Amino acid sequence: MSIRRLPEHLVNRIAAGEVVERPASALKEIVENALDAGATRIAVRLSSGGLDRIEVSDDGCGMDSADMALALERHATSKLPDDAIENVATLGFRGEALPSIASVARLSIDSRPRGSDGWNRTVDNGQLVAEGPAALPPGTRVTVDQLFAKVPARRKFLRSPKSEYAACLDIIRRLAMAHPSVAFSVEHDGRRVLGVQENEAREDRVAALTDRQLADNHVIVSLEREGIRLSGVASLPTYNRGVGDHQYLFVNGRPVRDRLLIGALRGAYADMLARDRHPVVALFLDVPPLEVDVNVHPAKTEVRFRDPALIRGMIVSGLRRALDAEGFRAVQHADPAALSAWKPEPVSPTPIGAMPIFEAASSPVNYNPLAQPSFADRRPSFLTPPPQARAEPAAMPTPEAQSFPLGVARGQVARTYIVAEAEDGLVIVDQHAAHERLTLERMRRAMEGQGVASQALLLPEVVELDEPACDRLEARVAELKEFGLDLERFGPSAMLVRAVPAMLGQSDVQGLVTDLADDLAAYDSALSLKERLDLVAATMACHGSVRAGRVLSVAEMNALLREMEVTPRSGQCNHGRPTWVKLGHGDIEKLFGRK
């Protein structure tokens, strides 16, 4: 077969395959053009997730008829005044987006420069079908109708309107974060779903587009090194999410996806977060053009740094400094020398039949809280600081420590850690981490039997989420009901909770539903039914566990220890953290210089 030169319309369709993968790709290119045109207000209207229509209006500089004609030709752009592509400072520069979109959809452009008349040009799948005067305010309006309608081989690979709408909304969020001086609004099927005002503070804009609670739970990141500036917003370690899709990186105002960010965040938040918890961050890098290559991906979603190690080091250092500067608001670093003396050990199982913690109330125990008031019940005077640890006198002799692998409870420290005496040393148990594992295993056993019992709420609780998150939860209502969680849709951006699993007790309903939505967003399509059920069970177990800060009686503490001894995998919580550690007698003697 001889080599032939491809016709222009086929070249454009091939280019569209690189640049325009889905409606969100077309929307990204059009909005970036509006930003490069100096727009201060950008309005987006979508129909059927962008499958039927995308309309973007801006108040930028506009185009006359001659520029509009050139804009629809391949490799024609106003963003490269000379041949120095390495010095590009705009979001777009290839000159491929508009002709590529016009080759696979009906593209209509209305534009009017200030002080001039408006003009319209319409191209339908590569063919010019209309051109003439247009009435509109200064700026540009771009409309894309029926994307891939005449390319069925591409159209069938698009996802559902809800999925495409979620992708479009994510694109607008990222661009709006990068440009807080610009006002953005989004309408979907005639309903306003997003709106931010111009000239907002960066941290306010990020909070408005991620979670309003971030405004009270963030630190400001600022670092400059070797001509590179890092700034942004990062959440406190105590404010985290179940998935890593709330992490954003911007390079010279351009949203990018880079594996460098994932590794840097893990390094920065090491020893502060569980492995399956993720911070909320939006980091902005201002890099000299010669230090970064933006021309490595047709859609410009990836970049290549000249010195990636420097960038990673800046992200880790900038985040660490910001978190450390917040003092008690951030997780404090533990002394490595002290940690090295603690060694986790596997639990030796004992015969089944030990008392579970939730059966402690109905089973006879060797403790009477009315026999003698505990130290926690005594009201301290105004001169006495509140106790941070407590031990209760036993109403009857306590069991021998030699009888149990995890020993017997001797007290509670900071309302978080159970201190127990074992035959060979001192055991400290994280009550929340331990009970989290026990709750998960209990839910798994219930699912193998008759299912998880539910507890109806006296007043149903409304949980507000974004629309894609509600769509994902609504699709899994039946599965969630098997776990005792009764949900129903409550408008476009809220879920109504009528019942929760009974074994969770008084759980944080808002946090539970939010984390479930995050988990489904990250793993739903990639997991089998069994894996998805395990994921839901683990998330619920975390919210139904005994929380740090709750005062436990000696009987409750011992019941927890006994159940740990007969529960599989009780040596670690659902997040991979150890549930207990032991300090042997020899280590204690070393600490006091006796050995």
Side-chain angles (χ1 to χ4, degrees):
M1 182 181 293
S2 60
I3 298 175
R4 71 184 182 99
R5 188 182 297 275
L6 297 178
E8 185 70 16
H9 70 90
L10 185 56
V11 171
N12 283 334
R13 289 179 62 178
I14 293 173
E18 298 177 342
V19 178
V20 186
E21 300 175 0
R22 58 195 306 187
S25 306
L27 177 62
K28 172 182 176 292
E29 299 291 344
I30 297 170
V31 174
E32 285 182 348
N33 282 340
L35 291 168
D36 287 339
T40 60
R41 304 190 69 84
I42 297 176
V44 178
R45 295 180 178 85
L46 303 172
S47 179
S48 298
L51 295 170
D52 292 343
R53 167 168 280 213
I54 300 171
E55 181 182 308
V56 179
S57 302
D58 66 69
D59 60 351
C61 62
M63 297 179 287
D64 57 25
S65 58
D67 283 344
M68 192 181 297
L70 280 174
L72 291 170
E73 293 184 10
R74 294 186 70 237
H75 303 307
T77 180
S78 61
K79 302 169 186 179
L80 285 175
D82 51 38
D83 295 340
I85 191 173
E86 64 275 6
N87 290 326
V88 64
T90 53
L91 297 175
F93 56 88
R94 290 174 174 268
E96 289 183 316
L98 290 179
S100 297
I101 296 170
S103 68
V104 292
R106 182 182 178 91
L107 176 70
S108 179
I109 302 178
D110 298 272
S111 190
R112 175 190 165 196
R114 284 170 176 76
S116 301
D117 296 330
W119 193 258
N120 165 268
R121 193 176 180 90
T122 302
V123 179
D124 189 354
N125 287 271
Q127 301 296 320
L128 179 65
V129 296
E131 185 177 18
L136 74 160
T140 301
R141 181 173 61 244
V142 180
T143 305
V144 180
D145 292 309
Q146 299 300 320
L147 184 66
F148 296 130
K150 296 185 179 180
V151 191
R154 295 292 303 278
R155 180 86 176 190
K156 70 179 182 180
F157 284 100
L158 296 179
R159 303 182 69 180
S160 66
K162 288 184 177 180
S163 296
E164 298 298 342
Y165 161 63
C168 289
L169 200 58
D170 181 65
I171 288 293
I172 297 300
R173 281 199 181 107
R174 292 176 183 271
L175 290 170
M177 281 186 208
H179 301 273
S181 61
V182 181
F184 286 83
S185 65
V186 179
E187 291 184 9
H188 183 236
D189 291 336
R191 185 168 50 84
R192 186 183 178 94
V193 295
L194 184 147
V196 289
Q197 301 303 313
E198 58 185 309
N199 297 320
E200 287 185 311
R202 177 168 284 174
E203 55 270 24
D204 294 336
R205 174 64 63 90
V206 172
L209 295 170
T210 54
D211 193 324
R212 295 287 183 182
Q213 295 181 8
L214 184 64
D216 300 322
N217 295 278
H218 73 271
V219 296
I220 301 297
V221 180
S222 181
L223 181 65
E224 190 165 353
R225 183 183 298 169
E226 298 183 20
I228 301 174
R229 176 172 173 75
L230 172 69
S231 60
V233 178
S235 66
L236 292 170
T238 51
Y239 182 82
N240 50 66
R241 304 297 291 267
V243 292
D245 61 352
H246 301 280
Q247 298 168 355
Y248 307 92
L249 178 64
F250 305 88
V251 178
N252 295 343
R254 185 190 310 277
V256 298
R257 302 177 186 272
D258 199 306
R259 296 182 64 86
L260 178 75
L261 175 66
I262 299 174
L265 288 178
R266 286 177 179 169
Y269 280 86
D271 74 9
M272 299 184 191
L273 281 179
R275 283 176 293 179
D276 66 336
R277 304 300 299 179
H278 304 271
V280 179
V281 298
L283 299 179
F284 303 83
L285 280 167
D286 294 318
V287 184
L290 295 179
E291 297 297 320
V292 59
D293 185 2
V294 299
N295 191 28
V296 297
H297 191 278
K300 305 180 292 296
T301 58
E302 298 176 7
V303 296
R304 184 180 294 121
F305 297 104
R306 184 182 297 273
D307 188 353
L310 172 64
I311 301 299
R312 185 188 186 280
M314 285 191 64
I315 294 176
V316 174
S317 298
L319 286 169
R320 282 281 187 174
R321 290 184 185 182
L323 293 170
D324 291 344
E326 291 299 314
F328 68 91
R329 293 185 67 206
V331 174
Q332 301 299 305
H333 302 290
D335 183 8
L339 286 178
S340 63
W342 299 83
K343 299 183 183 299
E345 295 183 10
V347 178
S348 300
T350 59
I352 301 295
M355 178 176 59
I357 188 170
F358 282 116
E359 297 175 9
S362 58
S363 303
V365 296
N366 297 328
Y367 174 69
N368 180 7
L370 299 179
Q372 184 174 347
S374 68
F375 292 117
D377 297 327
R378 298 174 183 171
R379 187 179 303 276
S381 68
F382 68 95
L383 294 176
T384 307
Q388 294 300 307
R390 94 196 143 79
E392 294 181 5
M396 297 183 65
T398 57
E400 290 295 327
Q402 292 85 350
S403 306
F404 305 104
L406 289 181
V408 294
R410 299 302 187 193
Q412 188 181 31
V413 177
R415 300 186 179 185
T416 302
Y417 304 102
I418 298 171
V419 180
E421 180 187 2
E423 182 179 9
D424 55 349
L426 189 67
V427 175
I428 298 183
V429 178
D430 182 336
Q431 64 188 41
H432 171 63
H435 196 242
E436 186 176 337
R437 168 60 69 180
L438 302 182
T439 303
L440 174 60
E441 297 299 327
R442 199 176 294 114
M443 292 190 76
R444 286 174 173 169
R445 291 195 297 269
M447 286 299 299
E448 293 173 358
Q450 301 298 320
V452 179
S454 63
Q455 174 66 52
L457 298 178
L458 183 61
L459 294 175
E461 187 165 338
V462 177
V463 179
E464 294 185 355
L465 302 163
D466 59 24
E467 191 168 354
C470 291
D471 293 337
R472 288 187 287 267
L473 287 171
E474 187 178 27
R476 301 296 174 193
V477 163
E479 293 176 15
L480 295 174
K481 196 164 187 177
E482 294 179 10
F483 284 93
L485 183 64
D486 189 359
L487 297 176
E488 67 180 62
R489 194 67 176 259
F490 194 72
S493 57
M495 299 297 292
L496 187 69
V497 184
R498 294 193 177 276
V500 296
M503 66 175 61
L504 300 190
Q506 296 183 352
S507 60
D508 176 14
V509 176
Q510 178 86 27
L512 171 62
V513 176
T514 300
D515 277 359
L516 283 174
D518 286 344
D519 289 342
L520 292 176
Y523 308 115
D524 190 27
S525 60
L527 298 180
S528 65
L529 176 61
K530 181 180 183 304
E531 291 171 327
R532 194 161 54 237
L533 294 178
D534 279 345
L535 179 71
V536 172
T539 303
M540 289 186 174
C542 179
H543 286 269
S545 303
V546 172
R547 292 290 178 181
R550 174 179 165 184
V551 176
L552 300 179
S553 68
V554 171
E556 289 175 321
M557 289 187 275
N558 279 318
L560 180 63
L561 296 176
R562 301 293 78 79
E563 189 174 1
M564 287 178 64
E565 291 168 351
V566 297
T567 300
R569 298 177 294 275
S570 65
Q572 64 179 32
C573 77
N574 310 339
H575 308 300
R577 300 190 301 267
T579 59
W580 63 278
V581 291
K582 180 180 286 185
L583 195 62
H585 289 154
D587 293 325
I588 298 175
E589 291 174 347
K590 288 179 182 179
L591 289 175
F592 288 95
R594 290 178 172 268
K595 188 175 181 179

